[in-house]
Amino acid sequence: MGKTHTGGGTAKAATLLPGIRLSCHFGPPLSNSGSPRGTLQRIVIGMKVRPATAEDRDAILRVHANAIRNGASTHYSPRQIEAWVAFPAPEGHEAELRSGHVFVAEEGGQVVGYGRFDTDTGEVEAAYVLPEAQGRGVGKALLAESET
């Protein structure tokens, strides 16, 4: 059920080893870097989206906490951020993993994002991406998985 994604724009990909693809993104700048259209923007090594397993719990907790602490720090107070990080508790994440509604995005064997989707209603319940992986199509790949 996993898929390999290279993010938005035009991508050129080459298989390096079984299961490893090197992808180069060409297209409009991905940030306000001032790069001209058509220049190399980034390199993504084989992102894979797959259903989460119980073994992913600690990685999901890490992604959840880092995405909130680093992505929301300018919009919420430290107290609000820590309350958000604490919910759901680790036990709640375990119940979510058993639901079959949680997917993880991996790059190089490391979980860099996760999403939780209600397959009955089509609602996106959560989508978190590590700050260092943001802007590389991780969230887009997770949302694409929710549509399948």
Side-chain angles (χ1 to χ4, degrees):
M1 179 175 240
K3 296 178 183 170
T4 301
H5 298 270
T6 58
T10 303
K12 302 288 183 184
T15 300
L16 302 176
L17 296 170
I20 304 287
R21 290 176 58 81
L22 174 66
S23 302
C24 299
H25 176 274
F26 294 87
L30 300 172
S31 65
N32 293 329
S33 65
S35 300
R37 182 176 182 84
T39 59
L40 179 64
Q41 297 298 315
R42 66 173 178 247
I43 295 176
V44 177
I45 305 278
M47 184 190 326
K48 179 180 179 182
V49 176
R50 61 171 176 78
T53 66
E55 290 78 30
D56 295 318
R57 186 194 80 143
D58 290 343
I60 288 171
L61 290 170
R62 180 178 54 85
V63 169
H64 179 82
N66 285 339
I68 294 168
R69 286 186 180 126
N70 294 300
S73 62
T74 59
H75 303 291
Y76 297 92
S77 72
R79 185 172 155 215
Q80 290 171 313
I81 288 172
E82 291 311 310
W84 186 3
V85 166
F87 180 82
E91 305 79 40
H93 280 283
E94 290 173 7
E96 290 173 357
L97 290 173
R98 288 191 300 274
S99 75
H101 298 232
V102 181
F103 294 86
V104 294
E106 290 182 324
E107 286 182 347
Q110 300 294 311
V111 174
V112 295
Y114 84 95
R116 186 176 66 242
F117 312 102
D118 185 325
T119 55
D120 295 328
T121 65
E123 180 181 355
V124 176
E125 296 177 332
Y128 294 91
V129 177
L130 286 176
E132 59 270 23
Q134 292 176 3
R136 297 199 314 246
V138 176
K140 183 176 182 176
L142 286 164
L143 292 174
E145 186 66 30
S146 74
E147 295 175 350
T148 60

